[in-house]
Amino acid sequence: MQEENNLQPLQLQIAALRAAEPAADGAAILLKADALLAGERRSLAIAIMRDLAPLVAVTLLAKAAEAGTVPGEANAPPVPPALECLGIGAVAAQDPTRVRLHLQFDNGLMLPAEMSKEAARALIRGLESELKS
């Protein structure tokens, strides 16, 4: 018979994000943050594997929606909130078949994202269509 695990899940709350940077090997994104753990403010570092970064962002947005920060229609699930950024710049990527976008936020953080040039062209068409309406 296996013994039951009586450990309680770790409850922590991120109080402030101080920095975000890629790991030296490029495999992860390192976040430096201040967190509240058991009522005490502590510094911590969080490594998010690059492959998991989009999932983490979507999960955080969904949690905000669950918390009621997004108004939803009656009987419809709430639409998750969007990240609000100051601007987006396009720059050349190391791979000539891709375009690199830099999303700049008001707290000074920048989120890089890359896509194929074909996807970038589709984005341009979508933006043109949206801006016409």
Side-chain angles (χ1 to χ4, degrees):
M1 198 188 246
Q2 190 176 16
E3 229 177 272
E4 280 189 41
N5 185 350
N6 292 328
L7 295 176
Q8 295 295 318
L10 179 66
Q11 297 281 329
L12 76 102
Q13 179 181 6
I14 302 296
L17 182 61
R18 290 181 283 123
E21 57 192 40
D25 64 2
I29 298 167
L30 303 176
L31 303 176
K32 294 179 182 173
D34 292 332
L36 297 177
L37 180 62
E40 289 184 36
R41 194 172 181 123
R42 298 181 183 196
S43 292
L44 62 100
I46 302 167
I48 299 173
M49 300 307 295
R50 190 174 287 277
D51 295 348
L52 297 177
L55 177 62
V56 170
V58 169
T59 301
L60 291 172
L61 290 171
K63 279 292 184 193
E66 283 177 19
T69 58
V70 177
E73 296 177 14
N75 301 325
V79 176
L83 296 174
E84 291 190 28
C85 63
L86 294 176
I88 301 174
V91 296
Q94 287 184 340
D95 179 345
T97 66
R98 301 181 72 74
V99 173
R100 185 176 180 97
L101 302 176
H102 289 172
L103 286 72
Q104 185 69 48
F105 298 91
D106 62 358
N107 63 0
L109 292 177
M110 187 268 301
L111 175 66
E114 289 190 10
M115 65 177 66
S116 68
K117 287 189 175 179
E118 182 179 315
R121 287 183 193 95
L123 174 62
I124 290 169
R125 288 190 300 273
L127 286 170
E128 286 175 341
S129 173
E130 188 63 30
L131 292 172
K132 286 179 185 174
S133 59

